[in-house]
Amino acid sequence: VTAAGPPATSTGQLVNMMSNDTTQLQRFLQFGGMTLVAPVQIVLALVLIYGQVGNATWVGVAYMVSLAPVNVVVFSIVGKQRRKVLKFSDLRVKMMNELLSGIRIIKFYAWEKPFGKEVGKVREKELDALTKLAYTSSIGFSLILLSAPILQPILVFLTYINIQDEPLTASTAFTTVALFNIMRFPFAFLPMGMLQFIQSRISLRRLGKYLRLPELEQYVVNGPPPPTKGDDGAGSEAVAKPGSVTLTGGSFAWVHPDRAVAPLEDRNDKKKGGKRGSRAGRRRSSSASAKSSASEGNDNNDDLAADTSHSAMSDLEGSRRGIADPVTLKDITCTLEAGSLVAVVGAVGSGKSSLLSAMLGEMEPLEGAKVYLPRDDDLDNKNKTAVDRTNFFSYFNQTPWVINDTLRGNILFGRPFHQERYDEVVEACALLDDLAVLPAGDSTEIGERGINLSGGQKARVSLARALYSPDAKLLLLDDPLSAVDAHVGEHLFSGAISGKVSEGTTRVLVTHHVHVLPRCDKVIVMEGGRIQHMGTYAELIERGVDFAGAVDVSKGDDGDKEGKDGEASDAENGGKDEAKKESGSKEGGKGGGKDAAAAASTPTKGSDKGGPPEKHSADAKKKGSELTTKEEREEGAVGGSHYIHYARAGGFFSFISIVIIQAVGRGSEVMAAFWLSLWAERTVSASLTDTPLSDAETTWYLNIYAAFGVLGVVCLTGRSLLMAVHRLHASRKLHDDLVGKVLRAPVAFFDVTPTGRILNRFAADMDKIDLDLTNSIGQGFSTIFSVLGALGAIVAATKGTFLIPLAPISYVYYVIQKWFRRTSTELQRVTAIAISPIFADFSQVLSGTSTIRAYEGQERFFAKCQKSFDDFNASYNLQQMCNFWLGLRLDILGGFIGAFIGGIAVGTASYNFIPAGWLGLALSYAIEVTGYLKHGVRMIATVEADMNSVERVLYYSENIDSEAPDVIPDRDPVSSEWPSKGKIEVVHASMRYRDGPLVLK
């Protein structure tokens, strides 16, 4: 996307799109078939019911039709609340991403509590929206939709006894009840499917908005500029050589004035202002968006825009003073000859970094602006591989971008390893001393964001990456000397930028160091987004040009705060003294310049590791090559302690009440079935004796039957409300504990744990706890009690004979569910772990998009992300196969139950062992129990799988080491007595990073 994209979205939104929105679409496809079939099942059941009770069926149909407008309102409210939940969830995840990115600063200032409160404020808004969503769903779905199959038989039988002359027989009653029971599953799935449809539609809309963001326009032309009128051809060879750069009157902007992008907010926000004045509003919003995009789109607090923002941050700071003009580069005309070294200088915000970005194709061209970059001719390309042909550009970003890979992997960046070239580049970039002291040499794993490298080391690794390819024709260097001190800067300029390793390459160097300008072929002076002067250093001096923004550090300026080889960023980015010489050299080559680097170069020539002559210990090598810890994974069933913890987190009383109310509700439904059997039996007996039941007796039987049904509806609604209360309390408690524990974790935890892994807890796992888990638990309990109720009814109806096959059937069922649950739970754990690399890879890509594009590595990084997705999908597909495996076996098991009841009924028919009403009841429950068995094991497995999210959150809440408490009463000085002096005294202090060697002794 263009630079207009990042301000329109946020990292939180992107993480939620990756985790939640894609999952919602996947769940919709999963439930889609059942949701589409549900109306067909309901219609067929109603047709069959009509065959039993005749016109009384239309009362049930009218009841269903009357629910339609209510459902529309309910679904509308649920959709709005879901959008609100996603909005605040995006903000919360974005805030956590920012906190994790700047965790060291937060630790330095002891800001854990204030920032924890800020996260808590956003979380409270999210919980408020979740509360409304939970109560709306509870009342709307439980009271209205799920109660329909319970209330419909009451209404139908009430109508039947009033309009039909025939008595209500057992066959009619229980066939009708069985058909209504068949409708229960469609009615249960229909609201779930509709809710999933609403959530998927919202997710699809969010994904669509992001995918429709404007993409970069291809304005970098492979070839020389077209000849102009009056051009006699002189100099055409120079601009046609591979590596030459030509711009002719080009203007560029980070955000095109006519293509401003509004933030990706929900559509209903647009309704607030109405239609009046919409055109003016669009003009205002377009202008405001252009302005905010220019200023905010390059804010380094957002990882999405980090790579672009850092490269042009200095330009934009200057443009903020004149923000009304969105054009960053104006009328740029220059020709850079192939193989030349061109310096770009200017004040902050003058457009230096933007000039490099324009050459890379990262900006918006205005009025058809083009950049002409002739590439290699066909003869040179014939014998080159695809990898070699993509190495035309090399790019050093103003803020060095380092990925979670070995140090060598960061330098090679997917390119083939060539020992001789590698050694030359490592030596030229003054990395030999660093390799000598890193635990595993160049096989040392570099953590996320380069946490175990200092600012200077990251700069030199990035520079080595830019210099590694000998085929590169254009080398764009955005201020590589600012992160190192004067001596190292001199070594880098002499050995790398203007040395043998970059010979023949066109180099464009943005710098503030005036002492290197005489050694450059040309100097460009930028001011206000324009090229004010261009020529050799001597020519510009003759003209009296003021090199604004450049400083003379040729004599070593110890006062330059950026010249300390990353000491400032050393603290912030986790620069480790264990990768530095104990002699006091802050970085490889510091204090010794070229001599120090040269002295260290000899022993490593030809060394595959680029390390020192002495051996690294095996332990040190292993530690260094495996910085990032493996993600934890429990084995076996989810521990009972996690269920108890979750029950207590939401309120133990609420949890027990849910179980009791569920049992009472199911009991009332079973009692209603037995009462119906008794009613039908009495009705038939009375009709046979020509003494039909009186209206009062019929009304009495109907009222009792209705009372049982209404009690079931009340329990169903009460259970849903209690589940909503329990879910909200548990979500609040688990999230608060997670935030508190993560913010109190020591810095070492963040050094070895990828940000994507932590964000996975706050995004995917918390989303399951917030929305899915309690629903799964509720359905699990409902199904368990439905199975128990059905089995109890069958045992009672068959007068205990069903107990004989129940024992072996229960054992087989136990074995099947045991195998299924164990496999399903383990697969869920594997799936949960497989998600983390997706986030980690994706977050790395987001923060380095321009660097990836410069090296034309899009396909490689896409393939890496795709592999992570494939690994995740493989484990998820295995979960679905497990469900099919389960369904087949439980169908067979359910068939045995029905066969036994039918066999008993036929075998004892002459003895009238089982009354007709009870036989009908038993057969209707036999049909029902097959579906419940299948759904029950699946829901129990789903609960166990969702509980894996609780398990993962609790692992962080309970197992991460915490820092010392804020207040230690026994040791803390009295606040009124301390501090009394501005004095710090250190006595016999020794310190280390994590479990490494002592660096302060």
Side-chain angles (χ1 to χ4, degrees):
V1 297
T2 66
T9 184
S10 68
T11 307
Q13 283 179 312
L14 280 175
V15 171
N16 270 338
M17 286 179 195
M18 289 283 291
S19 60
N20 300 338
D21 290 331
T22 53
T23 303
Q24 294 300 338
L25 293 175
Q26 172 187 296
R27 287 170 69 92
F28 173 70
L29 293 175
Q30 184 179 345
F31 287 127
M34 291 182 284
T35 306
L36 291 173
V37 171
V40 178
Q41 288 179 303
I42 293 171
V43 170
L44 288 175
L46 287 172
V47 170
L48 294 174
I49 290 170
Y50 180 81
Q52 294 295 320
V53 295
N55 290 328
T57 308
W58 299 114
V59 177
V61 174
Y63 177 72
M64 292 176 60
V65 171
S66 67
L67 292 180
V70 180
N71 290 336
V72 170
V73 174
V74 170
F75 288 134
S76 175
I77 295 172
V78 167
K80 289 178 181 177
Q81 295 304 324
R82 176 62 179 164
R83 281 191 289 270
K84 280 190 178 180
V85 170
L86 285 172
K87 176 183 176 182
F88 292 121
S89 178
D90 290 344
L91 289 173
R92 174 176 57 83
V93 175
K94 177 190 175 187
M95 185 175 291
M96 283 308 306
N97 181 70
E98 291 174 349
L99 293 186
L100 296 173
S101 299
I103 192 67
R104 290 178 179 273
I105 298 298
I106 292 172
K107 295 286 184 185
F108 294 157
Y109 285 95
W111 280 345
E112 292 95 337
K113 282 187 177 180
F115 277 98
K117 288 180 180 177
E118 290 300 315
V119 175
K121 288 178 183 176
V122 178
R123 177 63 175 170
E124 283 302 316
K125 292 179 181 178
E126 183 184 7
L127 284 173
D128 182 58
L130 275 170
T131 302
K132 294 175 182 176
L133 176 63
Y135 289 144
T136 304
S137 302
S138 299
I139 296 173
F141 294 149
S142 299
L143 184 61
I144 298 172
L145 277 178
L146 294 180
S147 64
I150 301 174
L151 295 177
Q152 276 181 309
I154 300 172
L155 298 174
V156 169
F157 290 147
L158 174 63
T159 307
Y160 182 85
I161 61 177
N162 285 314
I163 67 171
Q164 296 286 354
D165 296 330
E166 298 177 6
L168 183 64
T169 62
S171 60
T172 300
F174 282 105
T175 302
T176 305
V177 168
L179 290 169
F180 275 117
N181 284 338
I182 288 173
M183 289 170 60
R184 297 188 75 163
F185 268 111
F187 267 106
F189 272 110
L190 199 57
M192 286 177 61
M194 293 301 293
L195 180 61
Q196 196 60 53
F197 170 73
I198 292 170
Q199 293 177 345
S200 301
R201 190 179 173 202
I202 294 168
S203 297
L204 197 60
R205 186 180 300 157
R206 283 157 52 89
L207 290 167
K209 284 181 181 178
Y210 183 75
L211 293 175
R212 286 193 297 268
L213 287 174
E215 296 186 0
L216 289 169
E217 183 179 338
Q218 298 296 324
Y219 62 85
V220 178
V221 179
N222 179 11
T228 57
K229 290 183 180 179
D231 188 357
D232 58 359
S236 59
E237 291 184 6
V239 297
K241 285 186 178 179
S244 65
V245 183
T246 305
L247 292 92
T248 307
S251 296
F252 302 89
W254 285 107
V255 180
H256 199 290
D258 300 328
R259 302 175 199 159
V261 179
L264 299 185
E265 297 295 335
D266 295 323
R267 289 188 179 182
N268 58 351
D269 293 343
K270 298 189 292 185
K271 299 177 183 176
K272 294 179 182 177
K275 294 184 178 180
R276 184 174 296 177
S278 60
R279 189 174 299 172
R282 280 196 297 272
R283 284 198 299 267
R284 286 195 299 270
S285 64
S286 175
S287 174
S289 178
K291 295 173 186 177
S292 63
S293 299
S295 59
E296 295 172 11
N298 297 277
D299 186 346
N300 62 340
N301 285 333
D302 192 52
D303 276 353
L304 176 62
D307 195 56
T308 304
S309 65
H310 288 309
S311 67
M313 193 194 310
S314 58
D315 300 337
L316 289 159
E317 285 177 5
S319 67
R320 282 173 184 153
R321 292 189 289 270
I323 201 69
D325 186 3
V327 181
T328 308
L329 298 176
K330 305 164 189 174
D331 301 324
I332 302 297
T333 299
C334 65
T335 299
L336 310 183
E337 295 180 3
S340 62
L341 173 57
V342 180
V344 181
V345 297
V348 172
S350 58
K352 304 183 297 298
S353 298
S354 295
L355 181 62
L356 300 192
S357 296
M359 294 178 185
L360 283 173
E362 294 290 317
M363 297 186 71
E364 293 269 19
L366 304 179
E367 300 175 358
K370 302 289 184 184
V371 176
Y372 297 96
L373 293 174
R375 295 212 172 194
D376 295 320
D377 54 43
D378 293 335
L379 292 175
D380 290 339
N381 264 335
K382 281 180 180 177
N383 298 321
K384 289 186 178 180
T385 64
V387 173
D388 293 330
R389 286 196 295 271
T390 62
N391 289 332
F392 182 82
F393 279 109
S394 282
Y395 177 54
F396 176 94
N397 200 325
Q398 188 177 19
T399 298
W401 183 63
V402 181
I403 59 175
N404 182 204
D405 196 353
T406 62
L407 188 139
R408 177 189 286 187
N410 270 281
I411 295 175
L412 298 183
F413 211 57
R415 296 167 288 193
F417 177 74
H418 300 294
Q419 182 70 61
E420 185 177 353
R421 178 67 179 180
Y422 182 80
D423 287 339
E424 289 177 356
V425 169
V426 166
E427 180 182 352
C429 294
L431 284 169
L432 292 172
D433 283 356
D434 302 288
L435 297 182
V437 293
L438 285 172
D442 65 356
S443 295
T444 301
E445 182 183 2
I446 308 303
E448 257 194 339
R449 304 182 304 279
I451 52 95
N452 52 335
L453 296 179
S454 72
Q457 288 171 319
K458 284 190 285 187
R460 287 181 283 114
V461 168
S462 296
L463 182 61
R465 176 197 302 153
L467 293 170
Y468 178 72
S469 173
D471 300 310
K473 298 298 182 184
L474 180 59
L475 182 57
L476 304 177
L477 305 172
D478 196 353
D479 211 2
L481 306 179
S482 65
V484 297
D485 69 9
H487 297 89
V488 178
E490 174 60 30
H491 174 78
L492 294 180
F493 187 84
S494 302
I497 298 171
S498 63
K500 181 182 176 183
V501 293
S502 60
E503 190 175 352
T505 304
T506 307
R507 291 143 292 169
V508 184
L509 171 68
V510 171
T511 185
H512 294 280
H513 293 209
V514 71
H515 73 282
V516 304
L517 301 184
R519 296 147 72 182
C520 298
D521 299 318
K522 279 187 180 180
V523 178
I524 295 175
V525 180
M526 301 288 297
E527 184 178 331
R530 300 176 186 272
I531 296 180
Q532 290 296 107
H533 307 282
M534 181 174 177
T536 65
Y537 178 74
E539 291 172 351
L540 297 182
I541 288 294
E542 287 181 9
R543 297 183 209 164
V545 173
D546 177 23
F547 294 102
V551 292
D552 187 358
V553 293
S554 56
K555 297 179 182 178
D557 183 5
D558 291 337
D560 183 8
K561 64 182 179 182
E562 291 184 310
K564 292 299 181 182
D565 205 4
E567 285 183 81
S569 60
D570 192 1
E572 178 182 349
N573 295 307
K576 304 297 183 273
D577 281 350
E578 49 191 89
K580 302 174 184 179
K581 286 284 188 181
E582 290 187 8
S583 61
S585 171
K586 288 274 192 293
E587 299 291 344
K590 180 173 178 176
K594 291 159 62 178
D595 296 334
S601 65
T602 307
T604 63
K605 282 287 181 182
S607 167
D608 185 61
K609 294 291 181 187
E614 65 271 9
K615 274 189 172 184
H616 293 292
S617 70
D619 289 342
K621 280 191 176 182
K622 186 177 180 182
K623 243 181 227 181
S625 61
E626 297 178 0
L627 173 70
T628 303
T629 57
K630 290 185 178 179
E631 188 164 7
E632 76 291 337
R633 179 166 75 90
E634 300 288 339
E635 293 184 356
V638 175
S641 60
H642 296 128
Y643 289 95
I644 295 172
H645 193 290
Y646 180 74
R648 286 178 175 167
F652 214 69
F653 175 77
S654 299
F655 191 80
I656 296 299
S657 299
I658 291 170
V659 177
I660 295 172
I661 290 175
Q662 182 71 59
V664 172
R666 183 55 176 166
S668 69
E669 292 176 33
V670 173
M671 287 304 297
F674 274 99
W675 185 258
L676 182 62
S677 172
L678 178 64
W679 179 13
E681 185 180 342
R682 294 283 174 83
T683 303
V684 172
S685 300
S687 65
L688 291 175
T689 58
D690 291 329
T691 56
L693 295 177
S694 65
D695 291 343
E697 288 177 312
T698 302
T699 304
W700 184 71
Y701 279 112
L702 180 62
N703 288 342
I704 298 298
Y705 179 71
F708 281 125
V710 170
L711 179 60
V713 173
V714 170
C715 290
L716 188 64
T717 307
R719 184 208 71 175
S720 297
L721 289 172
L722 281 172
M723 280 169 49
V725 171
H726 185 274
R727 176 175 79 184
L728 295 166
H729 287 171
S731 293
R732 176 181 279 109
K733 178 80 167 62
L734 291 173
H735 185 269
D736 290 348
D737 290 348
L738 179 64
V739 172
K741 198 69 173 182
V742 167
L743 290 181
R744 292 293 303 164
V747 175
F749 168 76
F750 302 98
D751 288 350
V752 299
T753 307
T755 303
R757 189 183 300 173
I758 304 173
L759 280 181
N760 194 11
R761 260 76 172 181
F762 286 96
D765 289 327
M766 281 310 304
D767 187 69
K768 276 191 177 179
I769 294 170
D770 287 344
L771 296 172
D772 299 335
L773 178 57
T774 306
N775 289 335
S776 300
I777 290 175
Q779 285 210 32
F781 273 128
S782 176
T783 310
I784 288 171
F785 281 108
S786 294
V787 170
L788 293 176
L791 292 177
I794 292 172
V795 170
T798 57
K799 296 184 178 180
T801 54
F802 183 66
L803 289 173
I804 298 170
L806 183 60
I809 287 175
S810 299
Y811 175 74
V812 173
Y813 177 76
Y814 169 76
V815 172
I816 291 173
Q817 65 86 30
K818 179 182 172 184
W819 287 348
F820 175 76
R821 282 175 51 221
R822 285 188 176 179
T823 307
S824 178
T825 304
E826 288 302 310
L827 283 173
Q828 176 63 27
R829 287 185 174 125
V830 171
T831 304
I833 290 175
I835 293 176
S836 294
I838 296 174
F839 289 115
D841 294 343
F842 193 61
S843 62
Q844 284 194 132
V845 168
L846 288 177
S847 61
T849 50
S850 64
T851 301
I852 293 171
R853 286 194 289 262
Y855 287 93
E856 299 185 25
Q858 297 98 312
E859 290 186 8
R860 182 168 67 90
F861 279 88
F862 179 79
K864 187 178 180 183
C865 289
Q866 192 67 43
K867 183 182 181 302
S868 299
F869 272 109
D870 290 343
D871 293 341
F872 167 75
N873 287 331
S875 59
Y876 180 79
N877 286 334
L878 283 175
Q879 281 184 281
Q880 301 309 306
M881 292 177 191
C882 280
N883 289 335
F884 298 142
W885 179 91
L886 173 73
L888 175 62
R889 281 150 185 80
L890 290 184
D891 280 337
I892 296 172
L893 208 59
F896 277 122
I897 296 174
F900 175 81
I901 295 170
I904 287 289
V906 172
T908 60
S910 58
Y911 304 102
N912 197 23
F913 178 67
I914 302 176
W918 285 24
L919 176 61
L921 185 149
L923 286 173
S924 67
Y925 275 120
I927 297 170
E928 186 179 332
V929 80
T930 304
Y932 278 130
L933 280 173
K934 189 189 303 182
H935 187 63
V937 178
R938 196 172 295 166
M939 288 313 303
I940 292 170
T942 301
V943 169
E944 207 159 15
D946 288 346
M947 279 299 296
N948 180 241
S949 293
V950 175
E951 184 180 62
R952 286 160 54 80
V953 168
L954 288 179
Y955 181 86
Y956 271 23
S957 299
E958 296 176 350
N959 296 336
I960 298 177
D961 293 331
S962 289
E963 295 175 322
D966 293 333
V967 179
I968 306 176
D970 298 338
R971 306 190 64 177
D972 286 356
V974 181
S975 57
S976 59
E977 299 177 1
W978 184 90
S980 58
K981 297 179 180 178
K983 178 182 177 183
I984 299 175
E985 186 175 350
V986 182
V987 181
H988 301 304
S990 296
M991 299 185 186
R992 61 165 56 92
Y993 288 99
R994 295 186 307 280
D995 54 352
L998 289 175
V999 292
L1000 294 179
K1001 304 176 182 179

